[in-house]
Amino acid sequence: MSEQITERKGEQPPEVLRLVDSQLRREWEEYQASGLQELIGGMHLCLVLDALERTGVAERLRRGPAHPDQLLQGLDAEIGGNLLRYLELKGAVASEEGRYRLTARGQLLMSPISLAQLGFYVAAYGPVISETARLLSGELLYGRDVRRDTGALGRHSATMFHRFHTPTVLKALESVGTRVLLDLGCGGGQLLIDACTLDGQLQGIGIDIAEDAIAYARRRAEEAGVSDRIQFFVADAFAPQSWPAACAGADTICAVGMLHEPFRRGEDAVVEILDLYAGLLRGGTRRFILGEPELRYDDREHDSDFYLAHVLTAQGFPRSWEDWLPVIGRSRLSCRRLLMRPGAGQRLAFFELASGDGEAQA
Ligand SMILES: C[S@@+](CC[C@H](N)C(=O)[O-])C[C@H]1O[C@@H](n2cnc3c(N)ncnc32)[C@H](O)[C@@H]1O
């Protein structure tokens, strides 16, 4: 096109000067060698994938090839259309006769499990991690000015939990004979929903400090048809004296991914809380199932990401299961069994605890 214009005007093509500066080339090569190019691309792709999950586009793409207007219902058609082209550049979708479909890479990236894991970091912890500079400078304080998105945390943890951890907890419950299960820090309530769906006689009680997680859990229980057997309450799991009266009827208690929080006040704080729970077991509850994520500081399986999320949210640090045993050993609870499912899902260890003095045998 430009050549035709040039011809018509009778002008010579422009002179092209390719400047060579070895110093500038070296600096650019160093940038390329840093790997940042891939990291920046990965960061943006993560943000876009999370947006596709939140807006329902990922789910529509999973259903099969579709035209942009089907995929982008209710969304900005221009931005959406351009995002689909961006995803094509990234190899996540391919287009044929105006319809987009997931490529093999796109199917892996947009599976419910991948998007839940991504949502854990981007949607739930992103509001905090993106404020690292102002948290570092002291301009913002976690808990006062900035918070993780507990609704997103509940939702995405629920997907992961259902797939990878419910079966392990149910295995732990097999030998206990539970009729009323109390889940402390229940988040999106998935464990109770799964357990009550599988056992038509089981009753569940879930408590969590986050109102939006409890609202989500109630909605999910309704959808699953088990809301008549599960009660959800907003309450502080570390203050049993403030719990609703219904909790006293529980015969098994579990707490998954919550008890590491008091580690920020030191080990004694965790031992104190374990002792509080030991007191509840004497009241008839037979087992306490403690599920805790592992942090091994070896940068495998998201260790550094998990660490960062805990640093910036002023939480205590999870630790390896071996390091939990001496902490439990200092309390009035004893560990009867340890269940793990290595290599499947986020690293979690489940400790079956009973009153250490033998008063509360199953
Ligand atoms: C990592 S999430 C785990 C959620 C759920 N147990 C699961 O495994 O999917 C930790 C949960 O503990 C809740 N939590 C933290 N401190 C709490 C407290 N003091 N009382 C009740 N819940 C608390 C959080 O709101 C969050 O839902």
Side-chain angles (χ1 to χ4, degrees):
M1 181 106 161
S2 60
E3 279 176 14
Q4 283 175 9
I5 293 167
T6 308
E7 254 176 40
R8 202 179 54 220
K9 285 184 177 172
E11 287 171 4
Q12 292 298 312
E15 184 187 5
V16 176
L17 278 180
R18 290 188 205 283
L19 306 175
V20 176
D21 183 318
S22 53
Q23 172 61 25
L24 293 185
R25 277 194 169 203
R26 221 175 5 259
E27 285 177 29
W28 190 243
E29 279 163 13
E30 277 170 12
Y31 161 71
Q32 289 174 319
S34 72
L36 260 177
Q37 197 167 321
E38 289 76 29
L39 293 178
I40 292 169
M43 174 179 73
H44 289 145
L45 182 56
C46 283
L47 292 171
V48 169
L49 289 172
D50 182 62
L52 299 181
E53 194 275 335
R54 293 187 205 213
T55 53
V57 177
E59 198 190 329
R60 282 178 225 136
L61 275 166
R62 281 199 299 263
R63 285 188 209 137
H67 286 286
D69 52 355
Q70 294 169 298
L71 294 169
L72 301 169
Q73 288 157 23
L75 304 171
D76 187 299
E78 193 173 342
I79 292 179
N82 285 327
L83 280 180
L84 287 169
R85 291 186 60 202
Y86 160 82
L87 289 169
E88 197 166 11
L89 290 173
K90 287 289 188 185
V93 300
S95 65
E96 239 166 75
E97 295 170 3
R99 299 200 308 167
Y100 283 92
R101 64 167 174 81
L102 289 176
T103 59
R105 179 176 193 231
Q107 282 172 20
L108 294 174
L109 287 171
M110 284 183 243
S111 76
I113 294 296
S114 294
L115 291 178
Q117 184 73 344
L118 180 68
F120 181 87
Y121 288 106
V122 174
Y125 283 98
V128 183
I129 295 172
S130 59
E131 289 291 5
T132 301
R134 294 203 292 167
L135 286 164
L136 179 63
S137 70
E139 196 182 328
L140 299 181
L141 188 67
Y142 179 76
R144 185 190 68 191
D145 313 305
V146 60
R147 286 180 181 80
R148 61 185 172 177
D149 180 336
T150 45
L153 182 64
R155 194 159 64 84
H156 294 301
S157 297
T159 303
M160 300 301 285
F161 206 93
H162 172 70
R163 191 73 200 109
F164 296 110
H165 306 309
T166 295
T168 313
V169 180
L170 294 181
K171 174 96 190 141
L173 292 180
E174 263 173 20
S175 56
V176 182
T178 304
R179 300 290 18 111
V180 183
L181 176 62
L182 168 61
D183 188 9
L184 306 176
C186 63
Q190 193 62 44
L191 169 60
L192 291 174
I193 292 167
D194 288 342
C196 287
T197 302
L198 286 169
D199 178 348
Q201 303 303 312
L202 188 71
Q203 308 267 338
I205 306 167
I207 69 175
D208 201 287
I209 200 88
E211 284 177 28
D212 44 6
I214 289 294
Y216 176 75
R218 286 186 181 135
R219 265 199 321 277
R220 287 280 303 109
E222 195 78 43
E223 285 162 13
V226 289
S227 57
D228 56 330
R229 283 186 287 124
I230 310 180
Q231 302 175 73
F232 287 108
F233 300 102
V234 176
D236 183 351
F238 301 135
Q241 70 283 0
S242 69
W243 294 353
C247 297
D251 47 28
T252 301
I253 303 179
C254 62
V256 183
M258 188 198 64
L259 206 63
H260 58 273
E261 297 221 13
F263 273 133
R264 69 170 163 265
R265 289 186 280 120
E267 243 179 60
D268 288 353
V270 178
V271 175
E272 240 169 64
I273 290 163
L274 285 172
D275 281 342
L276 278 180
Y277 296 153
L280 300 175
L281 295 192
R282 289 158 178 258
T285 306
R286 291 186 292 257
R287 283 288 187 274
F288 188 96
I289 314 273
L290 171 67
E292 275 298 318
E294 291 204 75
L295 190 48
R296 291 181 169 272
Y297 302 95
D298 59 6
D299 207 16
R300 287 170 46 231
E301 301 192 31
H302 281 304
D303 265 19
S304 55
D305 302 299
F306 205 56
Y307 177 78
L308 181 67
H310 282 73
V311 166
L312 295 174
T313 50
Q315 295 183 69
F317 293 112
R319 44 182 67 197
S320 69
W321 65 265
E322 292 96 329
D323 290 338
W324 264 98
L325 291 177
V327 180
I328 294 165
R330 288 183 52 210
S331 78
R332 291 193 288 123
L333 289 169
S334 69
C335 182
R336 301 292 166 88
R337 208 155 62 135
L338 195 51
L339 288 90
M340 284 175 273
R341 200 180 290 273
Q346 294 160 325
R347 284 191 297 209
L348 246 77
F350 291 89
F351 304 81
E352 261 183 56
L353 307 179
S355 174
D357 54 18
E359 282 180 38
Q361 298 297 306

